[in-house]
Amino acid sequence: MSFYAFLGAIEQGLVYGIMALGVYITFRILDFPDLSVDGTFPLGASVAAVLIVHDINPYLSTIIAFFAGVVAGVITGILNTKLKILNLLSGILVMIALYSVNIRIMGQPNTSLLGYDTIFTPIEAFFGAERYMISPVVFLVVVIFLVIAMTWFFHTDIGLGMRGTGDNPKMVRAQGINHNFMVLLGLAFSNGLVALSGALVAQSQGSADVNMGIGTIVAGLASVILGEAFLDARTVFRGVLAVVLGSVVYRFAIAVALSFRVGSFQLNPSDLNLITAIIVTSALVSPGIKKVFKSRL
Amino acid sequence: MIELKNVTKIFNRGTINENVAIKGLSLKIDQYDFITVIGSNGAGKSTLLNLISGNLTPEYGEIFINDKNVTNLPVYVRASFIGQVFQDPLSGTAASLTIEENLAIALKRGKKRGLGLGVKRTDREFFKEQLSKLGLGLENRLKDRVGLLSGGQRQAVTLLMATLVKPEILLLDEHTAALDPKTAAKIIELTEYFVDEYKLTVLMVTHNMRQALSLGNRTIMMHEGEIILDVRSPERDTLQVKDLLEMFARVRGEELVDDKLLLA
Ligand SMILES: Nc1ncnc2c1ncn2[C@@H]1O[C@H](COP(=O)(O)OP(=O)(O)OP(=O)(O)O)[C@@H](O)[C@H]1O
Ligand SMILES: [Mg+2]
């Protein structure tokens, strides 16, 4: 693997790690399998891209993209908690709807950011460094901030309520917590993070595309599961850290798989979903991975 | 204190599985009443408790607590004055949270929850002191996940959580049924201690007839969604386990539908 590929895997692991943290909140903390992220990820990308090409400050655009995700999450939550639609289906409905919404937002299936200032532009100018060096550092800073913020949040009264909600809704209600509100709040945070991740990916790759969200949920789950295979998630902090670690490992696994060549046979990017499915399956069925790495970590 | 007026609960209404679990039931519970609730399986005991706690809402009738109509108040609102312990020892605590985190959730019952730290240093002292009352050594295991505890230990923690912030009403639904006799005795002892210490109004469902007559001041027997016996002390003191068993046999055996055994 070349140095560029190495740095690329780190960069991708970190930026998609933000999305995986969102997936962790729904799947692990809330026990709510939210599939809408396949729509919220490109939503964040679309919103940020459209605002940027309309000369809105890229930082502001990114923040607005985060809140677009929050709104999408709240809608999924309302479908489930107020309209009593099954959680899986609520997510799927929002995901499908967002496909149309994202095209509406952009007015076309994709938006190029070539030639526009992104959140990286001022940082590149300030440090006088190249993009391939800057973006991993920026993503690392964001991820570190999120790991700290989430660890703190999940130890506050509301955070405990949210963890309790995913674990035992009956108990949480009996202790005076409105568990529907906790589900709504968790979905809002989760989808906000996923949209933020989409906004950052769009800016780092220079475009937003309505199809960039396909497989987001599987990649997010792969990261969560791989992380848990490597790092026993006994505490919230370890759990959150494991997700980021899992995301980086996942991107490395993909980079390695794509560079794999036997004779004239080579895997190409369209094989990615198959590879992901295999990675997730092997992480799920083999306690071996855990054992092998446990002694080292 | 608590008043149920003509309450009817129907499950699966309008389907072939329609089931009237509570039939026009009226009941007045005084403050500091400690009522033991008996009745055969499916009599409607759990349903009655769930109607009071708000886990279920009735199709007809009204429920008042302290003269306030609570019929449509959700569980989490009623939780500010109701503590609950369930039959399943696993359902009162969150397994993935630590003991102190579970207690911290209970400590905020009926209070506003914000972004303050859930478990503060001062709370820990209080939790230790409270846990030591259980006599199970849990005061040294604050940071253990609750999932690591036995069923009996978890039920003891649930009981503590139900009373950590003093409720007015304590609802106990066969809360010792899943425990071994020794642990069950310990939980009953703790129950009596908390009820005494905090002066609570209690409804306790049990299948143990001896317990039903020895605990509290009042016993009700349910059958097919109705109350067929309602006795309080001192009349209750003359009742024996065999009297209760006879009544059970009678209501089960023949069609004594209208022959209610109201000894109150
Ligand atoms: N959620 C529900 N859906 C449908 N029917 C229910 C539901 N809960 C209870 N029932 C029915 O209502 C009736 C009363 O049930 P309930 O659980 O109150 O009985 P119980 O007296 O607590 O019995 P047990 O001693 O077995 O706990 C039963 O016929 C039961 O099948
Ligand atoms: Mg019952």
Side-chain angles (χ1 to χ4, degrees), chain A residues 152-161 163-164 167-168 170-179 182 232-234, chain B residues 75-76 79 84 86 90-97 101-102 104-106 108-109 113-118 145 161:
Chain A
W152 164 77
F153 173 75
F154 284 116
H155 284 97
T156 65
D157 281 317
I158 293 180
L160 287 182
R163 286 163 62 202
D167 186 310
N168 187 346
K170 188 175 178 184
M171 167 268 195
V172 149
R173 275 194 299 268
Q175 295 299 342
I177 295 172
N178 180 350
H179 91 292
M182 289 295 165
D232 182 10
R234 260 171 300 154
Chain B
V75 190
Y76 64 87
Q84 297 183 69
F86 313 99
L90 309 185
S91 59
T93 43
S96 64
L97 272 59
E101 286 170 339
N102 272 278
I105 287 180
K108 280 279 153 70
R109 184 158 49 79
R113 287 166 214 266
L115 290 175
L117 203 58
R145 273 190 286 175
M161 285 170 66

Side-chain angles (χ1 to χ4, degrees), chain B residues 11-12 19 21 39-48 56 87 173-174 207:
Chain B
F11 287 111
N12 305 316
N19 181 358
S40 47
N41 295 120
K45 305 179 297 293
S46 299
T47 307
L48 174 66
L56 295 172
Q87 174 172 355
D173 192 354
E174 297 184 44
H207 281 292

Side-chain angles (χ1 to χ4, degrees), chain B residues 46-66:
Chain B
S46 299
T47 307
L48 174 66
L49 261 59
N50 283 327
L51 286 166
I52 295 173
S53 68
N55 284 312
L56 295 172
T57 37
E59 269 62 40
Y60 301 106
E62 287 172 323
I63 301 169
F64 293 83
I65 296 179
N66 289 331

